[in-house]
Amino acid sequence: MCGLPVQVVCRANAEYMSPSGKIPFIHVGNQVVSELGPIVQFTKAKGHSLSDGLDDVQRAEMKAYMELVNNMLLTAELYIQWCDEATAAEISRPRYSSPYPWPLSNILAYQKQWEVRRKMNAVGWGGKNLEQVYEDVSQCCQALSQRLGTQPFFFNKQPTELDALVFGHLFTILTTRLTSSELAERIKSYSNLLSFCRRIEQTYFEDKSS
């Protein structure tokens, strides 16, 4: 979205290469910067920012919606992948452990599941059931849908960091195989969010590969 040259590299051990243990991260020269917030600050320090055109009120609103996405969508994705035992057993543990030899594969997968479940307890999601999580996702999508309205992007005609964050999560949910399609179906009920995802995919991804 900033028009910067970037090469995407897939690594099975990406989270272990990241300084914070989380992805995504960027490698620029001899610097490694992980997670969206620090990456945004890093590119801004280099003179590239998507939100320069926003005033202080809009900037505060953007940050509030980004918090909503991180608190709801990200947490819901982790919950469904690792706290729903059917999904964890059939998809998440096999997928997570696939690059590693046995028994390391099993150890790392169960360690990841334990870490996520500990986080869920810490943020008050440990006692939730799937239906409550789906409902949280629906409420988050409703808020995003109302904010987007008929605009091409959340703050009218140009994308901001919020657009990048929302697209990343919605596109992942829509394209990742799970044991149930319910999470994706909740998003599909908001036609403007679907159009938003298609718009960003066509503008920033499909054209780049051609």
Side-chain angles (χ1 to χ4, degrees):
M1 287 180 175
C2 286
L4 298 171
V6 61
Q7 179 186 5
V8 179
V9 179
C10 294
R11 290 282 186 270
N13 62 334
E15 66 179 323
Y16 298 106
M17 298 165 65
S18 167
S20 67
K22 296 180 180 178
I23 52 175
F25 69 89
I26 58 172
H27 186 196
V28 186
N30 61 352
Q31 293 182 281
V32 179
V33 185
S34 63
E35 300 184 63
L36 179 62
I39 290 172
V40 167
Q41 292 304 314
F42 179 84
T43 56
K44 185 175 182 179
K46 301 289 185 183
H48 302 277
S49 175
L50 294 173
S51 53
D52 276 349
L54 302 184
D55 59 33
D56 289 344
V57 173
Q58 290 174 318
R59 207 179 301 271
E61 186 181 6
M62 180 187 76
K63 288 181 179 178
Y65 276 97
M66 290 179 76
E67 280 295 306
L68 174 69
V69 171
N70 284 324
N71 290 339
M72 289 291 190
L73 285 186
L74 174 59
T75 312
E77 288 169 71
L78 287 170
Y79 180 99
I80 290 165
Q81 288 173 21
W82 293 104
C83 296
D84 174 47
E85 189 50 43
T87 304
E90 186 178 328
I91 295 175
S92 302
R93 288 200 300 266
R95 183 169 57 198
Y96 189 85
S97 64
S98 61
Y100 307 103
W102 188 90
L104 180 62
S105 55
N106 272 14
I107 294 169
L108 291 176
Y110 278 101
Q111 179 180 303
K112 178 69 174 181
Q113 186 170 11
W114 180 79
E115 287 174 1
V116 172
R117 290 184 171 183
R118 187 176 63 172
K119 178 184 177 180
M120 292 299 125
N121 287 328
V123 298
W125 280 50
K128 289 194 177 188
N129 58 41
L130 266 179
E131 188 52 43
Q132 289 173 315
V133 172
Y134 290 141
E135 190 53 39
D136 283 343
V137 170
S138 290
Q139 289 180 9
C140 180
C141 287
Q142 183 175 8
L144 292 171
S145 176
Q146 288 176 347
R147 180 62 186 85
L148 181 64
T150 57
Q151 302 177 119
F153 303 106
F154 282 98
F155 290 91
N156 206 0
K157 295 183 178 164
Q158 296 297 324
T160 64
E161 293 86 351
L162 174 62
D163 297 275
L165 180 67
V166 172
F167 171 76
H169 284 288
L170 295 186
F171 187 80
T172 298
I173 291 170
L174 291 168
T175 57
T176 300
R177 185 176 71 89
L178 297 171
T179 52
S180 166
S181 62
E182 180 63 26
L183 190 60
E185 292 302 321
R186 296 293 176 119
I187 295 170
K188 288 177 182 176
S189 63
Y190 298 94
S191 59
N192 64 338
L193 293 182
L194 279 181
S195 299
F196 166 82
C197 285
R198 281 196 295 269
R199 186 179 307 116
I200 289 187
E201 184 184 14
Q202 289 166 359
T203 303
Y204 295 102
F205 295 96
E206 289 180 359
D207 292 346
K208 300 296 182 186
S209 60
S210 58

